[in-house]
Amino acid sequence: MNPADTLSDFSTFQPLLDRPIEDKLMDFQREQRLKHLIYAAQLKPDLLARLSHLADMIRRMARQRESNLALRQLLSHKRAMLYFTQPSTRTFLSFMAACQILGITCNEVRDPKTSSEIKRESHMDSIRMFSSYFDVIIMRSPIANFAECCAYMMNRLESQEMRSVPTINAGSGSDEHPTQALLDFYTIQRSFTFDSEGAAPQTKLDVLRQSYPDLQPGPAGKTYLFCGDIGRGRTVRSLATVLSQYHSQRMIFVSPDHGALKLDQGLRSRLVDAGVTVHEFESLDAELNGQPILSQTDCFYMTRIQREHNSADDTEQMAQLDLGPYQLTPARVNQLREFSPIMHPFPRDSVVQELPMQIDSDPRVMYFRQARNGMWVRAALLVHLFDASEELFMAYSQFYRD
Ligand code: NCD
């Protein structure tokens, strides 16, 4: 399929694509529920709270054989298509595991050469075929807006009283990755409950407040440091959008001095309009108000340089960059606040080593937990999309009283 075919495929949706994002969100909503998940901006605080609660229940029920069996009954009448034509390990596998937890049967297309796209079938025809056989389409594509166009096509079919299924954007171009934002948010929220093990006389929060007197539980009022490929990292864009909905946020963006890697002006102004205080630096050793930025960081989020988006010029220019100032070395980890989660959507770059393996045993490291959390929140999202929350509550109450 050449790019011209793709354009003509999408052109019918161009007027819809050209709208400001706020005008689009209603199209992906069904009253109080999501119809499709395309943009991180759909993840409003009340929905995030509901999905986190569902994820907590699923996580608990999955532990025991009997409750696990009940989970597996919940959506055993549904089938999912995993249409992933861009490389993926965690997102693909965690969606598959989430489906398995809920009893959803999965099938996959990962290489379009094995589908009829090789016979010049259009992307949109492929999607419509998937919707004939499956009840949800979970898709990752290098083509920006592809998932969004699928959602519009499904809406059009629905308005014609034809079969239509939910679309989940599992990563589109360098644009958006809303389900990653969901799992990142869930991980941040769990980190910032400061829950203590057992009934200690002093809570973890009490102890931390001796060093950080203003510390509050929850994602609001924090300093988030995002490092690496800020310009092209879709996970940063989506997570920053979600976090900007909470009050008194400060975001520090650290990226190498290259136009493609820097915070883009569109995202910057959206964050500022949402009330976020934004700072940009070119080194992790930078200072803000006379103090190292690392010592002011409540949550650290690293990303890799997304070389797959490079133009030939980018590759040449980036080869000249010294990436040392963006590496989270053990010495830099020591400067972080003692409760600051260290996050990364993964994969990390084993050559650049933006997160060297020596730091993996630090108790603040969250990147492996993040990946596992992805399975729970993606299962929660599927329960929500299939309107099975009430059934999950009922199943849960058969095993637990709280
Ligand atoms: C991210 C992605 O695909 O955008 N990975 C992921 O989904 N966990 C980040 C990346 O590839 O760098």
Side-chain angles (χ1 to χ4, degrees):
M1 164 98 15
N2 74 44
D5 294 334
T6 307
L7 285 179
S8 65
D9 229 13
F10 292 175
S11 59
T12 152
F13 302 110
Q14 204 57 49
L16 297 175
L17 289 171
D18 289 342
R19 297 172 298 168
I21 177 165
E22 308 76 58
D23 297 355
K24 296 176 173 180
L25 300 187
M26 283 308 292
D27 289 1
F28 311 132
Q29 196 72 23
R30 194 186 290 289
E31 289 162 14
Q32 294 309 305
R33 204 156 53 80
L34 296 177
K35 180 149 78 168
H36 310 282
L37 178 56
I38 306 299
Y39 282 103
Q42 291 176 263
L43 299 169
K44 304 283 184 217
D46 63 328
L47 178 60
L48 287 165
R50 278 153 65 200
L51 292 175
S52 299
H53 187 201
L54 295 178
D56 285 343
M57 288 195 293
I58 294 168
R59 163 189 222 120
R60 190 167 181 193
M61 287 178 77
R63 274 193 216 134
Q64 309 291 337
R65 183 186 166 90
E66 291 302 316
S67 45
N68 189 309
L69 279 173
L71 274 179
R72 234 183 298 158
Q73 293 295 314
L74 204 65
L75 292 170
S76 55
H77 55 308
K78 299 291 182 189
R79 289 185 300 278
M81 165 48 75
L82 297 171
Y83 180 46
F84 275 60
T85 56
Q86 197 186 27
S88 175
T89 302
R90 277 145 293 270
T91 309
F92 178 83
L93 291 176
S94 64
F95 262 119
M96 182 172 261
C99 287
Q100 288 163 348
I101 289 168
L102 300 168
I104 302 173
T105 313
C106 305
N107 220 317
E108 64 186 74
V109 169
R110 301 197 71 171
D111 179 359
K113 291 196 197 74
T114 64
S115 81
S116 285
E117 284 179 23
I118 203 78
K119 301 179 192 165
R120 307 210 315 193
E121 179 161 68
S122 75
H123 288 101
M124 289 326 229
D125 274 356
S126 296
I127 294 288
R128 188 152 174 198
M129 287 306 134
F130 298 154
S131 75
S132 304
Y133 305 130
F134 297 95
D135 301 299
V136 58
I137 298 171
I138 304 165
M139 56 183 291
R140 164 173 288 198
S141 166
I143 306 169
N145 303 126
F146 187 13
E148 186 174 346
C149 288
C150 290
Y152 293 140
M153 180 170 73
M154 291 301 149
N155 287 357
R156 197 174 280 178
L157 290 169
E158 187 181 34
S159 71
Q160 295 160 354
E161 295 185 6
M162 288 198 262
R163 185 173 159 81
S164 162
V165 304
T167 309
I168 301 176
N169 176 0
S172 63
S174 58
D175 196 31
E176 277 267 0
H177 197 347
T179 65
Q180 180 73 37
L182 182 58
L183 77 91
D184 289 341
F185 177 83
Y186 181 67
T187 306
I188 289 169
Q189 186 178 260
R190 286 177 69 84
S191 302
F192 290 157
T193 54
F194 305 113
D195 274 346
S196 310
E197 298 285 317
Q202 268 198 319
T203 65
K204 192 170 168 186
L205 186 59
D206 292 334
V207 175
L208 285 169
R209 278 192 177 144
Q210 290 166 13
S211 311
Y212 310 100
D214 299 331
L215 186 61
Q216 298 291 335
K222 301 284 184 301
T223 296
Y224 294 88
L225 193 159
F226 295 93
C227 180
D229 195 338
I230 304 300
R232 304 176 300 179
R234 55 192 175 189
T235 65
V236 171
R237 194 188 320 280
S238 292
L239 178 59
T241 302
V242 164
L243 292 170
S244 70
Q245 303 176 100
Y246 297 82
H247 69 82
S248 315
Q249 304 287 46
R250 192 161 68 144
M251 295 188 190
I252 300 176
F253 296 92
V254 179
S255 54
D257 184 18
H258 185 287
L261 306 179
K262 298 224 147 302
L263 178 65
D264 81 68
Q265 286 311 306
L267 178 58
R268 190 195 166 93
S269 39
R270 281 202 302 282
L271 295 174
V272 170
D273 289 349
V276 179
T277 308
V278 175
H279 300 278
E280 287 178 77
F281 293 101
E282 282 168 16
S283 165
L284 283 176
D285 301 324
E287 294 196 347
L288 176 63
N289 305 326
Q291 296 293 324
I293 51 174
L294 287 172
S295 69
Q296 304 179 46
T297 297
D298 295 315
C299 176
F300 185 95
Y301 195 95
M302 179 65 94
T303 60
R304 78 184 164 89
I305 306 292
Q306 311 257 318
R307 289 166 200 281
E308 65 274 29
H309 298 299
N310 279 1
S311 65
D313 282 353
D314 290 342
T315 303
E316 206 172 298
Q317 290 157 9
M318 286 182 200
Q320 312 302 319
L321 292 172
D322 171 15
L323 297 179
Y326 312 97
Q327 210 184 23
L328 192 64
T329 56
R332 291 190 177 119
V333 168
N334 285 341
Q335 294 181 57
L336 289 169
R337 294 187 153 191
E338 59 192 273
F339 56 86
S340 169
I342 300 171
M343 302 176 66
H344 191 308
F346 265 34
R348 60 179 157 185
D349 187 323
S350 57
V351 177
V352 171
Q353 298 202 20
E354 68 273 15
L355 290 179
M357 277 170 66
Q358 300 104 283
I359 70 166
D360 286 358
S361 53
D362 190 283
R364 291 164 288 186
V365 159
M366 285 294 147
Y367 25 91
F368 295 107
R369 263 187 240 181
Q370 246 174 296
R372 187 161 166 83
N373 284 342
M375 177 171 75
W376 307 125
V377 292
R378 287 178 170 126
L381 174 66
L382 290 163
V383 167
H384 171 86
L385 278 170
F386 285 124
D387 202 12
S389 307
E390 282 308 316
E391 280 166 76
L392 177 61
F393 285 125
M394 273 162 52
Y396 183 88
S397 67
Q398 288 171 6
F399 298 96
Y400 307 101
R401 298 208 170 274
D402 56 350

